Amino acid sequence: MLVAIAIEGLVLYRFLSIEHKTSMQYSATVNLFSTFVGWLVFFAVQPFIPPHLKLELISYFFFERFYTNFWQSSVAPNLVLALLGIFMGTFLIELKGLELLESALGKSEKKLKEEVEKVGRFRGRKNRVIGVKANDKTYALLVANACSFSVILILLLARFLDQTRFSAL
């Protein structure tokens, strides 16, 4: 979590142009909130997980390796789908957490909705299409999550490669 908080705080600082301390506080708060909600979801879903998958999770949590079994060949696609779901879920939870945090602090802005004006083809630069502006906070949080997840994945890969190198000796 410390790696995620540091990276996401830096990205929020760069993208949202807020103070460094404030960006770190936002990052820490939304990461703690998403972790809390994630564990609640995990414990709520846990009774419905098949027994062989429970064995895999327990093996990974306590021994840092997957238990070898008959469905090991299908682990990669299931793992990719699960990680994609976790990424999207974390992003949505952190986005909602950031909105709740800003409303609790009284810093929320009223969103202005702009109409999309459709214009003819050869009207020139004056009458160009006006689109809905992208939410800067949403984009910043998406980039922050992508960066933190990528760095954590690289760290886990480096740790795995280091462990396999030492286990071969």
Side-chain angles (χ1 to χ4, degrees):
M1 273 201 36
L2 290 176
V3 172
I5 290 170
I7 291 171
E8 290 181 18
L10 182 64
V11 171
L12 293 176
Y13 170 73
R14 298 275 185 202
F15 276 75
L16 298 180
S17 301
I18 55 178
E19 294 179 7
H20 189 67
K21 182 179 178 180
T22 306
S23 67
M24 288 298 169
Q25 290 172 343
Y26 280 9
S27 176
T29 305
V30 297
N31 273 295
L32 287 172
F33 178 69
S34 69
T35 302
F36 175 74
V37 171
W39 278 108
L40 286 179
V41 168
F42 173 75
F43 286 125
V45 171
Q46 188 266 340
F48 305 108
I49 296 175
H52 61 277
L53 187 56
K54 282 184 187 179
L55 183 62
E56 291 290 331
L57 289 173
I58 290 170
S59 174
Y60 184 73
F61 285 157
F62 291 121
F63 306 116
E64 296 183 10
R65 66 178 78 125
F66 288 109
Y67 185 76
T68 56
N69 63 12
F70 65 93
W71 68 283
Q72 190 171 8
S73 62
S74 66
V75 166
N78 292 333
L79 193 61
V80 167
L81 288 174
L83 292 177
L84 184 63
I86 289 170
F87 174 77
M88 292 306 296
T90 302
F91 167 68
L92 293 174
I93 290 169
E94 286 187 6
L95 184 62
K96 189 63 176 172
L98 186 61
E99 290 173 4
L100 291 173
L101 178 65
E102 285 186 336
S103 67
L105 294 174
K107 295 183 179 181
S108 62
E109 301 171 1
K110 291 186 177 181
K111 297 179 183 178
L112 300 174
K113 295 182 180 179
E114 296 182 11
E115 296 285 329
V116 176
E117 183 180 308
K118 294 187 178 181
V119 214
R121 198 167 168 188
F122 295 108
R123 298 239 176 150
R125 293 185 106 182
K126 265 190 207 177
N127 297 329
R128 64 179 170 201
V129 175
I130 300 171
V132 179
K133 290 186 177 180
N135 188 348
D136 292 337
K137 291 177 186 171
T138 304
Y139 181 71
L141 203 56
L142 181 64
V143 171
N145 269 334
C147 289
S148 67
F149 270 67
S150 298
V151 169
I152 290 170
L153 184 64
I154 290 169
L155 289 174
L156 288 174
L157 182 64
R159 183 174 178 209
F160 172 74
L161 293 174
D162 188 48
Q163 284 178 347
T164 56
R165 184 184 69 172
F166 284 125
S167 66
L169 295 177

